[in-house]
Amino acid sequence: MSGHLHGVVQTTRTDPSRVLEEIKRQTLEQLGGLPGTLYGPIEEALKADSLKGDGRNHHFEDQAALWVLRQQQASHVMAFRQHVGLGFEAFRSPGSAVGGLGGSPLQLVGEQQLAFDLDGERLTEALEQRYLRPLEMLDGRLKMLSQAIGAPAGANPSGPYRLVRAFTALYSDAQVNESLRLRLFRQYEFELSRVLGDLYARINNLLATAGYGVGMAGGAAPNAPARAAEERRDRNTLDDVFDTVPHREAAASVPHDYNGAPGAGYGGDPRAAHAGAGYGAQQQASQADVAAMASELAELRSQLHAWREGLIKAGGLPPTHQQPQRSMAPRRELRVEEVLGMASLLQPEPPDAYARALAVSGRLGETIRDQLYDGARRLGFNPDQTCFSAEEDDAIDLVALLFDSLFRNHALQDRARRVYARLVMPYVKVALTDNAVFVKREHPARRLLDAITEACEGNDGETPQDRDLLERASEISQRIVCDYNEDLAVFELAHAELDAMLAQHRRRIELQEQRAAKATYGRERLGAARSQADQAVRERIGESRLTQAVADFIATPWRHHLVQVMLRENDDPKRRAQAMALGDALVMADKLAAENRGRELADQLLALQPIIVQCLASSGLDDSAAQHGMAGLVRALSTPDKERSEHPLPSASDIEEDVAEERRLYLASGSAQVAHDPLLAERMRQLEPGDWLRLTNIQGETIAVKVAWVSPLTSRFLLVNRRGVRALVASAEELAILAASGRLLVGAERTAFDEAMRQVRRHLDRVI
């Protein structure tokens, strides 16, 4: 067996020339054809502008110049690829002139070339600002690559400067006016924005997996003495504060909520801490913040220990060598590097055991330990003579509780279980080496887990977009398994890729929320109109004795007409008053008929005829049917001794089936009569759109819901799930009843990781 533990950071690297050639190949593959994609969209835009122009804009000049450029499209593509390729040659040999773009810096520059250069500088600055973070990482890795080649550090051959210079070099001799030049730059920027994010992610990932960028500290080995000494000298970083007594004990635990505070590595081993803390620049923290964090960490760690000991005493964890208890014969505690080696050995293996454990609450931690001890046996360690340290136990339990909380409380489908099962061992390795994942909200591993949960939560794959999202999340989890080797850049690149896809998904969710709000408002307006119409019908029928024809007309066509007027023309008081007056006039006409006042009745009906026909037409009758209905009404009123009687009042409008279903799911029957806490109801009235809650239905299933909209008509709250689908519409009083019964929790966290850690802490508090 090799003396080097599998999984510990190594300095073995792929041949730099081969890596550079692969970067060149991917860059040309992604960007080589860009000039050929510019002209089509510009031509379409020019055609559209010419159609809607006022005649003063002469787009034919731009179209003529564009036509000339299109004839040279093939040569432009070849020249562009050549210029990009020269950038890589310049990177390989910075002192040579082969990578130069343009002529001598002392030559005279024409006005057109100057304009292109100025626009190119602005585009370069915009792109560098947009891709600042991946470019910084890429520059650091390329610097290490150039050192491996044995050449001075050169400019990034796929960076914005080179790409923009290659673009401007194409048109140095072309006749391009100002309008077309601006269109070319805009279209080029648009095309670059579509591919650069993915390209930089691929190159960063390629360099990281090839061994250029581990630790991101100039290529020195993570355990170099100079680096350890440097870490000890920098006393303002959390890594060093936690590496000193009295904070070393606190460093192994996690606060449930800390606003972006940086974290530290587990235990007192600066090498293990630095394996994860090498990501990015170390951040400063005030002594007060450090003290508060240390207190939070120590408290949670003590809770973890009490929870574990309680499980052992209660028989929840059998006191075997595979469980974290310290009362047995002394054993050697495994070092972090050794546990990392076990985890790295297990990382690429099928995650079936973790998937099964996620299906049973509380089994994941036991399964992780079983698998790690199995890896220990394969690496030659005797489990009877070794045990996990307290810090390692904490890391395992926190990851197990975190994943269990995510799967229990975020409406994840069974098909997402394998996605999370693959990530268990990589996140155990993160927890062992980088405590910041639990305290720093911007930590890449934390953000990736948030993005994966966002992609999977409530996603049943019904639509093609949802299926694509699930497939991408699955691919990314597999990529983490394949590529993660203590370099957190893998998580950041994976998050950037998934987040770009989720941006479109969030837009769809936003539109879904807007549609749900509009549909709910429409239902409320319809319900209010029907209630007012029913009240108007009751007032006119009431205890009056009417002919059957008049009563039927008021109860059906007139009521429907009244609802339509209230919905469509509620802002027109004249139309509303006219519709109301029709009902009163029909009651009066029936009274005139009963009193045998024929002349007055005839005058009344003649005056009402246009309005009655219009009322019948609003119910969908054509002119002939409306006239026939009018004739039936006249016949009924023409006989004074026609039977008249009291008529039943209309019943309340039925609730729509989907509304009734959601009320059966979340609100117990008769909730309107259940007393509510006025103070709690007042607290609910303070909820605003964007607030997150946790809602539990009658069957005990809990989902995260957001206040998407507050009705200006009824002040009810529209609650939607994370997919933007309506979950419940309820009043403040109904929400107060739900909260009092423990089925509504106010103040849920916005991100899945934050909410999961909150649930973990609540679970520990409840158990202890």
Side-chain angles (χ1 to χ4, degrees), residues 124 244 292 486:
T124 301
T244 60
E486 286 75 68

Side-chain angles (χ1 to χ4, degrees), residues 30 155 163 390 434 500 573 746:
Q30 292 271 350
L163 297 179
D434 191 5
V746 179

